[in-house]
Amino acid sequence: MLLGVFAFDWAFLRLPEWGIRTYPQSMTLPVVLNVPYGPLAVAFGVLVLLMVAAADRLDPGKRYEPASIARAPLTRREWGFVSSGILAGLVILGATAQGQYLGISGGFAALTSYVTDLFGYRLNSVPAFDEATAWRAAMVAGLFPGALASALASGSFRHVPVTPLWDAAFASGLKSRAAAVFAGGFLIMSGALLGGGCTTGAFMAGFPTLSVGNFAMGMTFFGVGMATAFALYWGRWRRLGEVRARGLNLATD
Amino acid sequence: MNAILGGLLTGAAFGFVLHRGGLTRYSRIMGTLLMQDLKAMKFMFTALAIAALGYGLADLAGIGALAPRVNAYFGPAHFVGGVLFGVGMALAGF
């Protein structure tokens, strides 16, 4: 991911010249459609919730959830998508209430620039530090301790070098997984910085603002992500079900 | 100092929720991309719907403090970045 930050930073100054990153302009769905933001955002939110309800009825993944999980105490088990999704939405709103913006890839770049600044170098894309860069860098620094707290509190903190599904689908152990994570991390970070956000900044926090750029980015990466996933799992389609049927949980996956 | 503390706490809360929601699990992410387990997708859409409702209602009520910063549109970079990100997401599964 660090390499991704530096690759983007090298390209950053050259992007206008290549013509793929024009001067940023404000373009949102309300502006394009010429309607006020408030009602459109509420309508969008309601529509998405209806879509989630429909997806929940059709979700083939639910058959892998053993009933015993639902009876485990809340402190120990994985939470459902309703409670955890609502909490994540509130965190996004909380960031806005602080006058900030929840975006992990941008925060990662900010944090990187703070670290390289210790050695006398600042990223081209994060040349100056203000309150917003400090907040974003601190936010990214807080992510891992937060997840670790959840893992420790649920007693699910384990060292799992190769996730079971990868092992079952590709049966090739640590080397291939490490290579995929390395390449994936590089592509994720450079792609997110180039495209203006990651799953958090462009999708979860970006879609509610009805930003056209975020819509373009989010739809592209989910489309390409699905196509790549189907290509990777070509002929291994049923492995996911087989592995999940063995009973994976927060600790083992 | 306030910005750093606020950022740390917000990040920790978000990391906690992501882990608890199962979003750190490889099989959840691949399940969503392969359309076999939609939990990660449902989680993300629920979160963004809540945020959209919050922003929209705040806008209707005239609460300026909850007006979101809107990301700019900068042309083909979104699609180029999206392709790189999509391949990376499916390879790494996070």
Side-chain angles (χ1 to χ4, degrees):
Chain A
M1 293 208 283
L2 260 181
L3 276 181
V5 173
F6 288 118
F8 168 75
D9 204 59
W10 171 82
F12 181 73
L13 297 175
R14 295 159 182 85
L15 289 175
E17 189 183 318
W18 294 344
I20 60 168
R21 184 169 160 135
T22 53
Y23 193 74
Q25 46 186 304
S26 178
M27 182 146 82
T28 67
L29 208 54
V31 171
V32 174
L33 298 176
N34 197 21
V35 290
Y37 172 75
L40 195 64
V42 172
F44 178 72
V46 172
L47 191 75
V48 169
L49 283 183
L50 290 174
M51 219 180 73
V52 170
D56 187 45
R57 298 195 68 162
L58 300 171
D59 188 355
K62 284 200 293 194
R63 71 188 125 111
Y64 307 126
E65 310 295 336
S68 58
I69 286 190
R71 288 195 297 272
L74 213 53
T75 48
R76 309 290 295 176
R77 68 171 167 94
E78 185 176 326
W79 295 347
F81 75 93
V82 179
S83 52
S84 53
I86 289 175
L87 285 174
L90 293 178
V91 175
I92 294 168
L93 289 172
T96 308
Q98 295 173 59
Q100 305 295 347
Y101 187 85
L102 197 72
I104 292 174
S105 48
F108 199 91
L111 186 59
T112 307
S113 201
Y114 274 104
V115 175
T116 57
D117 186 52
L118 298 176
F119 303 96
Y121 174 80
R122 284 185 188 185
L123 297 186
N124 301 318
S125 48
V126 193
F129 300 143
D130 57 15
E131 203 180 271
T133 39
W135 188 93
R136 283 186 297 161
M139 191 271 292
V140 168
L143 282 172
F144 182 72
L148 185 66
S150 167
L152 292 174
S154 61
S156 64
F157 188 68
R158 303 266 192 296
H159 178 61
V160 183
V162 180
T163 189
L165 175 57
W166 180 278
D167 201 50
F170 306 110
S172 37
L174 188 59
K175 270 186 189 159
S176 69
R177 179 69 186 137
V181 167
F182 186 82
F186 173 78
L187 290 172
I188 278 183
M189 192 47 75
S190 53
L193 291 171
L194 184 60
C198 52
T199 332
T200 306
F203 186 63
M204 288 162 68
F207 272 37
T209 68
L210 307 181
S211 155
V212 171
N214 285 163
F215 282 133
M217 172 69 178
M219 288 178 207
T220 308
F221 72 62
F222 272 115
V224 172
M226 283 179 179
T228 311
F230 275 97
L232 271 177
Y233 276 79
W234 194 259
R236 303 178 175 91
W237 173 253
R238 290 163 60 191
R239 292 293 155 76
L240 189 112
E242 289 164 16
V243 172
R244 290 293 297 279
R246 300 204 303 246
L248 289 186
N249 56 37
L250 273 180
T252 53
D253 184 18
Chain B
M1 192 60 220
N2 250 347
I4 293 179
L5 195 64
L8 273 175
L9 290 176
T10 308
F14 198 61
F16 189 95
V17 170
L18 285 181
H19 181 267
R20 257 327 145 91
L23 269 282
T24 52
R25 291 175 55 183
Y26 176 75
S27 74
R28 290 273 191 221
I29 303 294
M30 293 318 283
T32 280
L33 292 180
L34 294 169
M35 306 286 279
Q36 291 187 58
D37 173 8
L38 303 180
K39 181 171 180 197
M41 188 57 94
K42 291 186 291 186
F43 167 93
M44 291 187 282
F45 273 114
T46 307
L48 76 85
I50 295 298
L53 288 174
Y55 291 147
L57 293 174
D59 184 66
L60 289 176
I63 304 171
L66 257 190
R69 197 203 74 193
V70 180
N71 281 328
Y73 175 78
F74 36 73
H78 293 299
F79 299 101
V80 181
V83 169
L84 296 177
F85 189 91
V87 173
M89 180 164 61
L91 266 181
F94 53 75

